[in-house]
Amino acid sequence: MKKSIITQKIIAKAFKDLMQSNAYHQISVSDIMQTAKIRRQTFYNYFQNQEELLSWIFENDFAELINDNLDYYGWQNELLLLLRYLDENQIFYQKIFVIDKNFEHFFLIQWENLIDKVIFDQEKKSDYHWSDLEKSFICRYNAAAICAITKESIIRGNSLEKLYSQIVNLLLAQIKIFES
């Protein structure tokens, strides 16, 4: 039986809503499902536990934001959408960074995927061909820096959208240096 993405999204939204005003460890499956207005047992048709729900939220939200839309929107628009999404869900992600140490690694990988797309797009516009070592270096270096800055901004409650032009300018400047 195919799982309903709509039901999963309703459950995820209920969980995120509860995280706005409650600590993670204070939220039960019953709370989530009561907020979602779905019977409790349905939760277990989709998720084994709250940790699995969290993983699903990360994978689903970031897949929709980054992987599914990159070819359609282009990396600059995708970056802006991602920063706006993080701003809108800032309280949720503040709490996630504290309770889930694996999330930071996942977050880093998502930044690497986005920066890889940046290089791919820029390479199509240029005569320069990037070596695998150059691509790997610039992806890992920038992803680590952007991940750290965005994490800090989330934890401090600062707007991430304000970082947009700085991130774009930094990436374009670094790419230009490599292509020179």
Side-chain angles (χ1 to χ4, degrees):
M1 182 174 155
K2 189 172 182 176
K3 294 181 179 180
S4 166
I5 190 79
I6 295 169
T7 303
Q8 289 171 302
K9 286 185 175 203
I10 291 168
I11 294 169
K13 182 176 180 341
F15 180 67
K16 285 180 178 178
D17 289 348
L18 287 167
M19 286 281 289
Q20 296 295 315
S21 57
N22 299 289
Y24 173 78
H25 67 277
Q26 295 174 329
I27 301 170
S28 68
V29 170
S30 295
D31 295 333
I32 296 167
M33 299 310 284
Q34 189 172 28
T35 301
K37 296 183 171 112
I38 301 173
R39 65 183 194 92
R40 183 180 184 277
Q41 187 55 37
T42 303
F43 180 91
Y44 298 103
N45 293 340
Y46 298 95
F47 309 105
Q48 291 181 11
N49 52 40
Q50 288 170 251
E51 290 78 22
E52 190 173 299
L53 171 58
L54 264 180
S55 294
W56 185 88
I57 290 170
F58 303 155
E59 291 171 18
N60 183 69
D61 287 0
F62 284 92
E64 282 183 7
L65 283 164
I66 297 176
N67 304 331
D68 295 351
N69 293 325
L70 270 174
D71 293 330
Y72 180 71
Y73 289 120
W75 72 268
Q76 290 184 9
N77 288 331
E78 196 59 36
L79 172 63
L80 185 57
L81 288 173
L82 176 60
L83 295 174
R84 285 179 178 162
Y85 165 81
L86 292 168
D87 275 341
E88 291 167 8
N89 293 279
Q90 197 167 69
I91 293 171
F92 176 76
Y93 285 104
Q94 284 171 348
K95 292 179 179 182
I96 295 306
F97 274 119
V98 173
I99 63 166
D100 189 342
K101 300 303 176 196
N102 294 324
F103 177 69
E104 187 166 356
H105 178 70
F106 175 83
F107 196 55
L108 176 66
I109 291 169
Q110 300 313 306
W111 282 114
E112 285 178 1
N113 290 342
L114 182 58
I115 294 167
D116 188 55
K117 176 63 175 169
V118 171
I119 293 169
F120 179 78
D121 285 355
Q122 293 304 119
E123 192 173 34
K124 288 191 304 189
K125 297 175 186 176
S126 167
D127 294 333
Y128 187 77
H129 180 71
W130 292 70
S131 72
D132 289 341
L133 183 63
E134 289 171 326
K135 285 180 189 178
S136 175
F137 174 79
I138 201 161
C139 277
R140 290 176 49 227
Y141 176 82
N142 283 292
I146 294 169
C147 181
I149 290 167
T150 53
K151 176 187 174 186
E152 181 181 323
S153 293
I154 288 169
I155 290 171
R156 290 184 175 187
N158 297 334
S159 170
L160 285 117
E161 190 174 346
K162 291 181 179 179
L163 297 173
Y164 172 76
S165 60
Q166 294 167 317
I167 293 171
V168 169
N169 291 338
L170 174 74
L171 289 173
L172 291 174
Q174 287 181 353
I175 288 169
K176 191 173 187 176
I177 289 169
F178 269 88
E179 293 178 341
S180 309

